[in-house]
Amino acid sequence: LNGEVLIYDLSKNKALCLNQTSAMIWQECDGKKSIAEISQNLSKKLKSNVSEDFVWFAVNQFKKDDLLENGKEIITPLDNLNRREIVKR
């Protein structure tokens, strides 16, 4: 889908579409790279600054959508923030 990734969860009968940047972050989430490394890798690929907060935001959303193995065990700095607080940050 032109830089996007469509994920279909058969068990939940639910489709999710990740935009190009989110798809790139999701593909970097291999359980080995740190948030800082993902941020640096994407900044190089996109030739634009991708902040660690932006990566955390995406990871937090992946966690909510059950897109990460062991996602429930991941604690993000955004876990206790509401949507408005996340946008301000």
Side-chain angles (χ1 to χ4, degrees), residues 64-78:
K64 288 179 183 178
D65 291 329
D66 285 331
L67 294 179
L68 300 173
E69 194 172 317
N70 301 321
K72 294 183 184 358
E73 298 171 15
I74 297 170
I75 298 171
T76 74
L78 307 177

Side-chain angles (χ1 to χ4, degrees), residues 40-88:
Q40 290 170 357
N41 290 347
L42 262 63
S43 293
K44 287 177 189 174
K45 288 178 185 177
L46 296 172
K47 296 179 183 167
S48 178
N49 183 41
V50 177
S51 71
E52 289 182 28
D53 281 342
F54 186 82
V55 176
W56 274 121
F57 178 77
V59 169
N60 193 56
Q61 191 61 50
F62 300 156
K63 178 180 168 180
K64 288 179 183 178
D65 291 329
D66 285 331
L67 294 179
L68 300 173
E69 194 172 317
N70 301 321
K72 294 183 184 358
E73 298 171 15
I74 297 170
I75 298 171
T76 74
L78 307 177
D79 282 346
N80 296 321
L81 301 178
N82 64 37
R83 186 175 178 92
R84 180 173 285 153
E85 292 169 326
I86 290 172
V87 171
K88 283 183 182 179

Side-chain angles (χ1 to χ4, degrees), residues 13-56:
N13 199 29
K14 181 180 176 182
L16 298 164
C17 184
L18 304 179
N19 65 26
Q20 182 180 16
T21 309
S22 294
M24 291 173 75
I25 293 170
W26 186 67
Q27 291 166 341
E28 290 277 327
C29 291
D30 61 3
K32 298 174 185 170
K33 293 181 189 93
S34 69
I35 295 297
E37 289 172 316
I38 294 171
S39 173
Q40 290 170 357
N41 290 347
L42 262 63
S43 293
K44 287 177 189 174
K45 288 178 185 177
L46 296 172
K47 296 179 183 167
S48 178
N49 183 41
V50 177
S51 71
E52 289 182 28
D53 281 342
F54 186 82
V55 176
W56 274 121

